[in-house]
Amino acid sequence: MAALETGRFLGWITNQPPYCAFHAWLGRGEALAQSRRRFDTGDVEGAGQALPDEIVDGPWLHGTPDDCRQQIAAFRQTGVTSILLYVAPTPELVTGADALTDVLAYLASS
């Protein structure tokens, strides 16, 4: 479920005009062409699945909380001062009353 939701989100957000234009400016237009074609036909889930790994792995944090902490630390080491988190609704976060708060506190301490 989490991968499905994340894929839908990434397929949707990456193909919004400002992000699409930004990626084209970065020279990633061809890499995103298949995702864009799927998005344009209404296949948002397929658009997310068609995103190349290098597009997903670059700006998106994903993995275990420890993996995400390491990725946040790597961003900070390069000078990034602001990070916007979109937390996918994984089963662990949905079922645990304090799970989301605990994960966010853990990530904030990195």
Side-chain angles (χ1 to χ4, degrees), residues 6-22:
T6 303
R8 284 182 184 147
F9 176 75
L10 293 179
W12 175 81
I13 193 74
T14 305
N15 286 291
Q16 294 305 299
Y19 292 104
C20 198
F22 176 67

Side-chain angles (χ1 to χ4, degrees), residues 65 68 85-109:
C68 292
L85 294 178
Y86 164 79
V87 181
T90 64
E92 299 84 3
L93 296 179
V94 173
T95 59
D98 295 326
L100 179 58
T101 304
D102 292 345
V103 167
L104 291 176
Y106 182 72
L107 294 176
S109 67

Side-chain angles (χ1 to χ4, degrees), residues 7 17 21 28 37 39 48-49 58 60 63 67-68 70 72-75 98 100-101 104 107-108 110:
R28 297 177 178 159
R37 281 192 295 276
F39 182 81
Q49 293 170 350
W60 305 101
D67 293 338
C68 292
Q70 290 174 6
I72 289 170
F75 280 133
D98 295 326
L100 179 58
T101 304
L104 291 176
L107 294 176
S110 58

Side-chain angles (χ1 to χ4, degrees), residues 58 70-83:
Q70 290 174 6
Q71 292 169 52
I72 289 170
F75 280 133
R76 285 189 164 165
Q77 288 174 351
T78 64
V80 173
T81 58
S82 297
I83 297 174

